[in-house]
């Protein structure tokens, strides 16, 4: 809860100053698109990057570039130190117990594939069940589907209601002795729903079922504490949290990761190799084959510094204001219907308009300099659930402003003009 | 403003609102689906071919204004045409929306001319071409789901 002191500290003027200070750090926001100011509202797809992230990656290539974990030379030692420093920052950011629990990947998708493959090979067999929810992104559906095809297990799906919330009773009913693992989104990318993951995890744990949380959409908006959530796995992508593309994290509880076989084979994940037998490396390196994306990792470290350096009271107040302002403004436009009205939402407003297809809306908004996502948002089952082919999705980040939401509303008026 | 109007020309908006030949055809000799997974445009195209001529053509489904108007205009242009004539019109349309057709007066293009603005919007070329690719594949007697992705 906000104290009265905080409310005073975060009046509109103070928030506006705070947002300007944030915007200053993102050079791309000064761009013009089709001769209009860029209004970037596609943050759930990827966020923009602050100077500090760009600088960190540039600095790495100019001054530190070398391969890590191998060389005894100066550059390699410095690069290794910088890269491994990011692991400690990640541990601290997630409040994990140990850096052994922080596996670096190419992103959320690879993190989930790693678990589906490795955990699946060790623990999932014919007749077992994997439970996901009806609001998952394709990346938290397809890896499990592939696992089920491989093993003969069944993919079970917990339904959502019209508001876009998981029906907890149904979810609970689907947890049983055959369930081997649960995969759920912390925040839905298509609807913005914030799921009660802590509760859902505790329900799974009553049956001793491990849980993977897809945190791709949560990480930029919420403080994440994996030990408090008590999840077995947490997956996230750097590029959705102001960091570079091609880099992500799989948090895994140490005892679970230790019980899992390697994912990919190659350099770095081994201790010794002969043609007869290979001894695998310790955690987390057992899951990290080959030279990683070093520059991206270091850029991610800078993104974590940026995030942890933020005034989170301001972040949540500002993002709440943006979401509220967008929801209110769009609700007032006749012919606009918001998809996803969960009690707890973060950063996303998905909507459709009578008689105008989202793709046409996207093109017209683009002409106004406004970047939104149109389509199924890699969540086709969610679209099917609502009986729509696609939505327009406006998604927010800390640098967005109320003026930009007004621009979105004006853009929708343009859509109406064109389609009278 | 002018840019948008070049894409959303009156003919396109009108065909989107009142698509022609928008119906099932139970007696069709070829039925093919066209699907663009990126934006969810999804149409079924019906062709009745008699002696190498498109005796009847219709479609149904849903998608954006560009894809729907394009399908509608296509059906009005191809009815009564031979397969060879239809392929020729398809070629003209394709080079028009991909911007390869330069210095052609809009009069000679007729209703096709309304899609001249599409080439300025690369993301929308696939929308405009979906029904046409479906038709092309249907004439080739390919029976699989047609996708422009």
């Amino acid at each position: 809860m906000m104290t009265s002191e905080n409310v005073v500290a975060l009046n509109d003027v103070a928030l506006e100053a705070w947002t300007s200070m944030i915007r200053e750090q993102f050079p791309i926001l000064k761009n013009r698109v089709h001769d209009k100011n860029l209004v970037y509202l596609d943050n759930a797809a990827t966020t923009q990057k602050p100077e500090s992230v760009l600088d960190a990656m540039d600095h790495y290539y100019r001054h530190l570039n070398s391969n890590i974990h191998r060389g005894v030379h100066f550059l390699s030692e410095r690069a290794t130190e910088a890269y491994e420093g990011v692991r400690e920052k990640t541990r601290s950011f997630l409040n994990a117990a140990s850096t052994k629990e922080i596996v670096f990947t190419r992103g959320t998708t690879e993190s989930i594939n790693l678990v589906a493959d490795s955990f699946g090979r060790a623990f999932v067999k014919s007749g077992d069940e994997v439970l996901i929810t009806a609001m998952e992104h394709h990346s938290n559906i397809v890896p499990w589907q592939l696992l089920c095809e491989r093993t003969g297990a069944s993919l079970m799906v917990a339904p959502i209601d019209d508001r876009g919330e998981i029906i907890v009773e149904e979810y609970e009913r689907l947890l049983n002795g055959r369930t081997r693992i649960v995969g759920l989104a912390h925040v839905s990318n298509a609807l913005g729903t914030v799921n009660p993951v802590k509760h859902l995890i505790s329900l799974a744990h009553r049956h001793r079922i491990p849980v993977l949380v897809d945190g791709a959409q949560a990480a930029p908006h919420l403080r994440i504490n994996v030990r408090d959530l008590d999840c077995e796995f947490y997956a996230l992508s750097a590029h959705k949290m102001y960091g570079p593309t091609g880099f992500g994290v799989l948090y895994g509880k140490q005892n679970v990761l230790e019980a899992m076989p390697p994912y990919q084979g190659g350099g770095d994940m081994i201790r010794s190799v002969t043609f007869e037998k290979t001894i695998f490396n310790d955690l987390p390196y057992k899951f990290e084959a080959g030279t990683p994306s070093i520059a991206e990792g270091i850029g991610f470290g800078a993104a974590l510094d940026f995030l942890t350096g933020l005034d989170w009271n301001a972040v949540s107040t500002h993002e709440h204001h943006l979401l509220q302002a967008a929801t209110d403004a769009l609700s007032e436009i006749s012919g606009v219907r918001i998809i996803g009205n969960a009690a707890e939402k973060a950063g996303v407003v998905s909507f459709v308009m009578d008689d105008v297809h989202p793709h046409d809306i996207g093109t017209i908004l683009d002409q106004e300099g406004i970047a939104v996502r149109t389509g199924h948002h890699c969540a086709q089952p969610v679209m099917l659930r609502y009986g729509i082919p696609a939505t327009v999705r406006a998604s927010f980040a800390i640098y967005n402003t109320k003026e930009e939401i007004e621009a979105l509303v004006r853009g929708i008026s343009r859509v109406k003009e064109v389609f009278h | 403003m002018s840019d948008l109007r070049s894409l959303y020309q009156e003919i396109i908006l009108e065909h989107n609102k009142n698509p022609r030949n928008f119906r099932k055809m139970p007696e069709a000799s070829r039925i093919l689906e066209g699907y663009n997974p990126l934006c969810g445009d999804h149409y079924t195209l019906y062709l009745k071919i008699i002696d190498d001529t498109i005796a009847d053509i219709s479609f149904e489904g849903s998608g954006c204004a560009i894809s729907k108007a394009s399908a509608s205009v296509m059906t009005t242009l191809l009815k009564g045409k031979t397969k060879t004539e239809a392929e020729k019109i398809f070629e003209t349309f394709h080079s028009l929306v991909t911007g390869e057709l330069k210095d052609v007066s809009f009069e000679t293009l007729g209703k096709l001319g309304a899609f001249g603005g599409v080439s300025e919007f690369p993301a929308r070329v696939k929308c405009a071409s979906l029904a046409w690719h479906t038709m092309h594949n249907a004439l080739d007697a390919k029976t699989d789901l047609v996708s422009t992705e």
Side-chain angles (χ1 to χ4, degrees), chain B residues 77-88:
Chain B
L77 290 176
L78 297 190
K79 206 184 281 192
K81 297 284 190 296
T82 64
K83 280 159 94 175
T84 318
E85 286 168 335
E87 292 290 9
K88 204 149 196 152

Side-chain angles (χ1 to χ4, degrees), chain A residues 235-251:
Chain A
L236 51 84
S237 295
H239 75 96
K240 294 196 198 285
M241 38 203 297
Y242 311 107
T245 53
F247 201 82
V249 176
L250 172 69
Y251 158 81

Side-chain angles (χ1 to χ4, degrees), chain A residues 277-300:
Chain A
K277 186 165 175 58
T278 291
I279 312 283
F280 301 122
N281 208 337
D282 291 333
L283 289 178
Y285 309 107
K286 180 172 91 175
F287 293 106
E288 296 179 357
T291 297
S293 300
I294 304 168
E296 284 72 12
I298 286 167
F300 177 55

Side-chain angles (χ1 to χ4, degrees), chain A residues 206-227:
Chain A
R206 284 186 199 167
H207 301 265
R208 297 173 174 274
I209 303 164
V211 179
L212 176 142
V213 179
D214 168 357
Q217 296 296 336
H221 301 296
L222 309 172
R223 301 311 302 262
I224 293 151
N225 183 338
V226 290
R227 269 188 284 182

